[in-house]
Every structure is written in structure tokens, then in C-alpha cells.
Amino acid sequence: MTLAPVLPLTFDVTASTAVRASVDRDAILADPGFGKHFTDHMVEITWTAESGWHHARVYPYGPLLLDPAASVLHYAQEIFEGLKAYRHSDGSVWSFRPQANAARLQRSATRLALPHLPEVDFVESLRQLIALDASWVPSAPETSLYLRPFMIATEGFLGVRSAHRVGYYVIASPAGAYFTGGVAPIAIWISTSYSRAGKGGTGAAKTGGNYASSLLPQQEAYEHGCAQVLFLDALEGKYLEELGGMNVVLVHRDGTLITPDSDSILEGITRDSILQLAEDRGHRIERRKVTLDEWGEGVASGDIVEMFACGTAAVVTPIGRLLGEGVEIGSADVVAGELTMSLRQELTDIQYGRVADRHGWMTRLDA
Ligand code: PLP
Ligand code: COI
């Protein structure tokens, strides 16, 4: 027996009859913040064990109707993605490596026992939302429309097994800088009491539970005047993993970029791209275990000359200081590193279409 090929989904479109007035939208786009405002529409695709993916649609943004027994609410069977739509100077709208987000959503789905959404449907879901909400993509420098695809177990069933009914959604939120200080160096809090992910756990998946467990240590970070929390490995508590919502990269004075290699961190698309750009310039890249001691001693001796956080929301953000119980690395007056800022510039130049896209990373969403 041959299986029928799975065709790309077609979307039913219901345009909102109550879209925000352009004056209200423009006021939001003038100062979007991060994750506070949402566009006029959203995407939903349903999956069931019997029928697979079906009933793809775009409709007015609004609350979900969920069975209170939906397993996402009890057992956290959930995954998500984060990527941005960028407005180019000719008005066109583009996303950065959405195929990599589609692939990561599939890897997260495998770990959370959720179904794979084909890449073609993932990219089309973004296009469908942009077709209605393109006017929400801001054009001021360094602003974008943050796209948040997510998948949740919607079956109402309290037995602990993977759900037979799942929903995939995309919502979108205009975005300015993630950190209120813009791209100024941030301070990081090292969590020595809490871990983010253990061996064999869900650390490499983009799933809500990882973020839920980061909230308390993140609160600790705020209490110590730090913008983000840095997690160490759960087993020995000595190797760098990543920040609550970003990867971390150190720069050696010989120009080598060093970043933690671990199977319990999220493989960031921003980090991968930055390292590629650095490699293109002839920098050496080391993906390996890095101890906190190596970081501290390296900063003290002058071997580590720059450090930065990177991710879709944070883009590339310099790290000035690292604080923790009995630890203080760096100082409050550190200025943003030259290489950090020039890699940030090159990445955003590609994303905003200001330089040639030599790696073929950009996908147009509005055509
Ligand atoms: N690590 C974590 C825990 C994250 O939440 C993110 C953000 O998505 C990243 C790393 C960076 O990933 P990306 O560059 O794909 O956004
Ligand atoms: C992203 O960068 O897309 C994330 O999911 C991280 C979060 C801090 C918003």
C-alpha cells in the first residue's frame, strides 16, 4: 500500500471586522516594548490522531476556548518558537531562517511527544498571518514584529499520555528592544541554587516548563539588579549552560569565540548565525564545555575580552558583569565589546536587508 502524499494545508481566512484604527496601531508601533501588544489576527491549525493536521485558518485575535481538562493545563504538553518579521526599506516583509525554527519546532515536538508540523505549513502559517497583519510590522530602526508560533495539547483528558488532539497557533507582537536599557551591557546573575535542565530532560526543547522553572531564579536575578539569570550544568554545577532566554558567547583576546556545548541547552538560531558570520571573518569557533572558573579567571587575566548574550528577542546584547553568591566577574563600567557590536551590526544589516544575504537566510513573507 502506498500512502497518499501529504499536501500543504490551505487556510480559511476570516478577516476581523474590528481591526485597530491606524492611529491606535501607530501609537503602539511608536513604542512597542516587548510582548505587550498583539496584532488583529491569529492562526490556528488542528491536529487529531485520526486526521492529522487539518482545518488551518486565520481569524480575529482573541481568547482560546479550552476544555479545563486540556492536558496542556495539567501536564504542560506544550512547545513554542520565536522569530521576527523585519520591514525592509522598500516596504517588503521578511523573516530570518524560518526553516530553522520549523526544524527546531519539530525537534521540540519529538521530545514533548507532539506531532510534527511540516516545514511548508509552518512557513505558510507565518505568510498567512502577515497577509492580514503586515501593517503591524514596524519600520523604525531595530523594531520588528515578533512571531510566536506555539503548539498545545488541547484534548480534555486527565490520563497521563500524549494528547490525541493538539492545536498549533501563531500570534504576533510588535517589538522594540527586549531590555529596557537598549543594547547597553547587562549584568547577569549566576544561579547556584537552581538548575534549568538535567541530563535526559527537556533542556534542548523550547517548551514552557523550562521557562516556568526559570522564573524563580529570574526573580532572584532582578533582586540583585541583574537582567538575566545564567544557569550552570545540573550535574556538577560548574559548566556554563545558557541564560533564561538566550545563549552565551565569550570572546578570547586571540579572537576565538567560545560557547558552551551541552545537550541540555536550546540550540539558538541567532548564536548559530553569529558564529557563522564570525567564522566567515576568519575567527576560530570553539563549541565546548566552559567552566565558570575559566570565565572568571579569563576576565581577570584579560584572556576573555568580551562576552555577550544572543537570541531572537535579545538579538546580541553585551554582558558587562556576572554576579552570584561569592562571585563577581567583570565590572559595572564595562563598555560594549567591539566585536560584539560589529557582529550585531552585521546580523541586523542582513535581517533588515541593508547588506546582501550571502547565506540565503532571508525568506520573504508578504509575497
Ligand atoms: N536559549 C533559550 C533558553 C531561549 O529561550 C532562546 C530564545 O529563543 C535562545 C537560547 C536563543 O534562541 P534563538 O536564537 O533561536 O532565538
Ligand atoms: C526568543 O528570543 O524568541 C525567546 O523565546 C526568548 C524569550 C526571552 C522571549
Side-chain angles (χ1 to χ4, degrees):
M1 190 184 82
T2 52
L3 290 173
V6 179
L7 295 172
L9 295 163
T10 51
F11 287 70
D12 294 333
V13 177
T14 308
S16 171
T17 52
V19 296
R20 241 74 48 88
S22 55
V23 56
D24 296 336
R25 190 180 58 233
D26 289 348
I28 291 171
L29 296 187
D31 182 21
F34 185 87
K36 293 196 293 191
H37 305 280
F38 297 90
T39 63
D40 292 313
H41 297 88
M42 59 190 283
V43 164
E44 179 173 354
I45 312 176
T46 302
W47 178 91
T48 58
E50 315 80 68
S51 309
W53 291 107
H54 62 282
H55 197 197
R57 56 224 188 257
V58 196
Y59 57 83
Y61 184 94
L64 299 180
L65 190 63
L66 266 190
D67 190 316
S71 25
V72 63
L73 301 175
H74 303 270
Y75 310 128
Q77 197 188 5
E78 186 268 358
I79 55 176
F80 67 98
E81 269 305 323
L83 70 169
K84 286 171 168 173
Y86 304 89
R87 170 95 53 202
H88 287 189
S89 59
D90 64 358
S92 57
V93 176
W94 299 73
S95 65
F96 181 73
R97 304 183 70 184
Q99 301 79 6
N101 294 91
R104 190 170 64 188
L105 189 72
Q106 292 188 352
R107 295 199 298 276
S108 299
T110 299
R111 181 62 186 85
L112 271 291
L114 284 163
H116 280 197
L117 180 71
E119 177 193 300
V120 63
D121 298 318
F122 178 89
V123 176
E124 185 59 21
S125 73
L126 310 178
R127 286 208 169 93
Q128 290 285 330
L129 189 57
I130 292 298
L132 289 181
D133 283 343
S135 58
W136 284 92
V137 183
S139 52
E142 311 303 312
T143 60
S144 59
L145 182 66
Y146 184 76
L147 302 168
R148 173 52 66 87
F150 62 102
M151 196 189 292
I152 60 175
T154 52
E155 181 186 0
F157 176 60
L158 292 183
V160 183
R161 61 145 168 77
S162 61
H164 293 173
R165 185 178 186 86
V166 166
Y168 164 84
Y169 306 83
V170 188
I171 55 173
S173 173
Y178 184 73
F179 295 112
T180 46
V183 285
I186 55 169
I188 297 292
W189 174 252
I190 308 160
S191 179
T192 40
S193 320
Y194 304 105
S195 303
R196 178 182 173 276
K199 186 171 160 47
T202 58
K206 203 160 170 61
T207 182
N210 294 338
Y211 298 80
S213 72
S214 79
L215 298 178
L216 183 60
Q218 179 64 47
Q219 210 168 295
E220 226 176 64
Y222 291 142
E223 282 159 16
H224 290 86
C226 295
Q228 273 276 300
V229 56
L230 170 78
F231 292 102
L232 301 173
D233 73 289
L235 207 57
E236 297 182 69
K238 67 177 194 187
Y239 298 104
L240 307 184
E241 290 264 291
E242 62 181 326
L243 308 183
M246 288 141 222
N247 291 121
V248 66
V249 178
L250 311 181
V251 183
H252 191 275
R253 71 181 148 78
D254 71 6
T256 305
L257 280 80
I258 306 160
T259 192
D261 181 30
S262 158
D263 55 14
S264 52
I265 65 176
L266 191 77
E267 294 283 335
I269 295 156
T270 314
R271 179 178 71 157
D272 185 68
S273 311
I274 285 285
L275 295 180
Q276 180 65 57
L277 295 178
E279 207 169 13
D280 295 349
R281 297 181 187 189
H283 289 267
R284 233 158 50 89
I285 309 298
E286 291 181 8
R287 296 172 192 261
R288 61 168 170 83
K289 284 180 178 293
V290 187
T291 63
L292 183 60
D293 287 347
E294 177 183 350
W295 188 345
E297 286 160 16
V299 170
S301 70
D303 276 351
I304 303 291
V305 288
E306 298 183 28
M307 38 211 187
F308 62 86
C310 54
T312 297
V315 194
V316 173
T317 300
I319 298 174
R321 255 191 339 157
L322 206 57
L323 302 175
E325 301 295 348
V327 185
E328 184 167 352
I329 298 174
S331 67
D333 53 9
V334 167
V335 294
E338 209 173 296
L339 182 63
T340 301
M341 294 312 281
S342 99
L343 287 170
R344 183 185 206 283
Q345 186 67 44
E346 186 175 359
L347 179 72
T348 55
D349 281 347
I350 294 170
Q351 292 170 331
Y352 287 93
R354 295 184 293 246
V355 298
D357 172 24
R358 67 178 183 279
H359 290 289
W361 282 338
M362 303 306 290
T363 292
R364 190 160 177 189
L365 292 183
D366 64 333

